[in-house]
Amino acid sequence: MNNPLNNPLNSPLNSPLAGPPSLRQIADGVYAFVQPDGGWCLNNSGLIVGRGRTVLVDTAATESRTRRLREEVERVAPGGPDFVVNTHFHGDHTFGNGQFAPRAVIVAHEGTRADSAEAGLGLRHLWPEVTWGATPLTLPTLTFRDSLTLYADDLRVELTNVGPAHTANDVVAWVPERSVLFTGDVVWSGVTPYVLMGSISGSLRALATLRALRPDTVVPGHGPVGGTELIDATEAYVRWIDRLARDGIRDGLTPLEAAKSCDLGEFAALGDSERLIGNLHRAYAELDGLPPGARIDVAASFKEMVEFHGGLPTCHA
C-alpha cells in the first residue's frame, strides 16, 4: 500500500524537504513558515494577516530560528503580530514567544499555559549541543478552555481545543474564509507522529474533527504543507500503532520488544521513526486503562527511545 506521507504533493511548498525555512503565501492573507526537514524541534508556524491586525500561530525553538521567523513575519506585517497562538506547550512551538511579547498577546489553552510553566525550558537539556540562544520562558497571557475566535480584520481565526491528541491539550487554528487549517502537532507530514503525552484514542477523535472541516490546505506541525491526505496519513499511522500495541500485549511483549520485532512497512520512510517507542508506551498504557492525556513516565520512554535509536535522536534546531 502506498504511504500518503511519502507521495509528492503538487504545491511548490511541498517539493523540497531540505533548504532554509521560509514564509510562503498559501492563500490570500494566509502564510506558512515551514522549517525543513520537519524533524525534532523543526516545527512549522502560520501567519494570518488582515489590514491592521495579524495572528501568528506558533513560534520556534531557538533564538536564531525565531529571529528568522520574526524577520519573515515583519516583511509581510511590519511591526509584527498582534496575537501569538501556542497550539501546545512544547518548546519548539513556544520558546520564541519572548521575541514577540509584550507587543503581541500570547494566546493558548489554559492547560497549555500550566504545562508550559511546569515544563519550563527543560527541553533544552535533552540536546545540550543545540545553540538555543536566549529563549526566556514567556507564558501565555490570554487563555481559554474550549474555543476562542480571534480576528485579523475580516479573517476569522477559530481556535479549538481538540486534545488530548499530541498532548493533553491541543489547539488548532481554522481560517474558514480561506479554508486553511493549522493543526499544530495533531497532524504530521513526512515525519513520524508522536502521541506519548497525549492519546491514541484522542488523536483519532481529533483527526475526525479536523477532517469534518474539509480544509483545502492543511499546515501540519512538522513537515510539508498539503491537504486532507495528511490527516488520512496521520490517522493510518495512529491506527497501526493501536494494532501493534494490541498484538504486543497479546504476545506478552514490552513496548520496546514490540518495537524491535515489528516491521515498519509503509511507515519506514518517515523521519524520526524512534518515536514508535513513545507511541507504544502511550498505547499500552491506554489499553491498560490510563485515561487519554493522563501523565505518563516520559523520561523512561525517552531512555528506551534512545536505546532503540542507538543514541540520542538527532536534533538540527
Side-chain angles (χ1 to χ4, degrees), residues 21 33 35 59-74 96 99-100 132-134:
F33 182 79
Q35 297 195 94
T59 59
T62 67
E63 178 183 6
S64 62
R65 286 185 174 273
T66 304
R67 187 180 304 115
R68 172 65 182 267
L69 169 62
R70 189 182 65 189
E71 290 170 352
E72 291 284 285
V73 167
E74 291 184 348
Q99 291 202 38
F100 299 99
W132 296 97

Side-chain angles (χ1 to χ4, degrees), residues 54-291:
T54 303
V55 179
L56 177 66
V57 180
D58 283 330
T59 59
T62 67
E63 178 183 6
S64 62
R65 286 185 174 273
T66 304
R67 187 180 304 115
R68 172 65 182 267
L69 169 62
R70 189 182 65 189
E71 290 170 352
E72 291 284 285
V73 167
E74 291 184 348
R75 177 174 56 82
V76 175
D82 298 283
F83 296 98
V84 171
V85 176
N86 292 156
T87 58
H88 60 287
F89 78 94
H90 289 161
D92 49 340
H93 297 256
T94 64
F95 280 178
N97 286 354
Q99 291 202 38
F100 299 99
R103 182 192 187 280
V105 176
I106 312 297
V107 185
H109 186 272
E110 60 182 22
T112 295
R113 187 186 195 281
D115 287 342
S116 293
E118 180 180 346
L121 303 177
L123 179 67
R124 293 168 55 121
H125 302 309
L126 292 179
W127 288 283
E129 77 283 358
V130 169
T131 304
W132 296 97
T135 60
L137 183 63
T138 306
L139 299 176
T141 54
L142 174 62
T143 64
F144 63 97
R145 292 183 180 179
D146 298 318
S147 62
L148 176 70
T149 300
L150 303 176
Y151 286 86
D153 298 305
D154 294 336
L155 293 180
R156 288 174 293 164
V157 184
E158 298 179 356
L159 308 179
T160 304
N161 176 32
V162 298
H166 170 60
T167 65
N169 304 285
D170 295 283
V171 167
V172 299
W174 168 237
V175 187
E177 286 82 9
R178 299 293 183 264
S179 196
V180 175
L181 178 64
F182 296 94
T183 70
D185 287 358
V186 177
V187 175
W188 304 71
S189 175
V191 290
T192 303
Y194 195 42
V195 299
L196 173 65
M197 300 181 193
S199 171
I200 295 290
S201 59
S203 290
L204 294 175
R205 286 192 295 270
L207 292 166
T209 297
L210 302 189
R211 185 180 293 107
L213 294 173
R214 302 178 66 181
D216 290 336
T217 305
V218 175
V219 182
H222 294 253
V225 174
T228 55
E229 75 280 355
L230 301 184
I231 298 174
D232 297 339
T234 301
E235 179 182 351
Y237 178 87
V238 174
R239 290 194 182 279
W240 174 71
I241 289 291
D242 182 62
R243 293 193 298 271
L244 187 62
R246 292 176 187 274
D247 291 346
I249 291 173
R250 180 201 62 203
D251 296 338
L253 302 177
T254 67
L256 181 58
E257 290 169 341
K260 287 182 175 180
S261 64
C262 83
D263 179 2
L264 292 175
E266 61 179 302
F267 306 110
L270 299 182
D272 304 326
S273 61
E274 65 276 0
R275 291 177 182 152
L276 168 64
I277 296 292
N279 295 332
L280 283 173
H281 271 279
R282 171 56 67 175
Y284 270 56
E286 266 187 42
L287 290 171
D288 194 40
L290 186 71

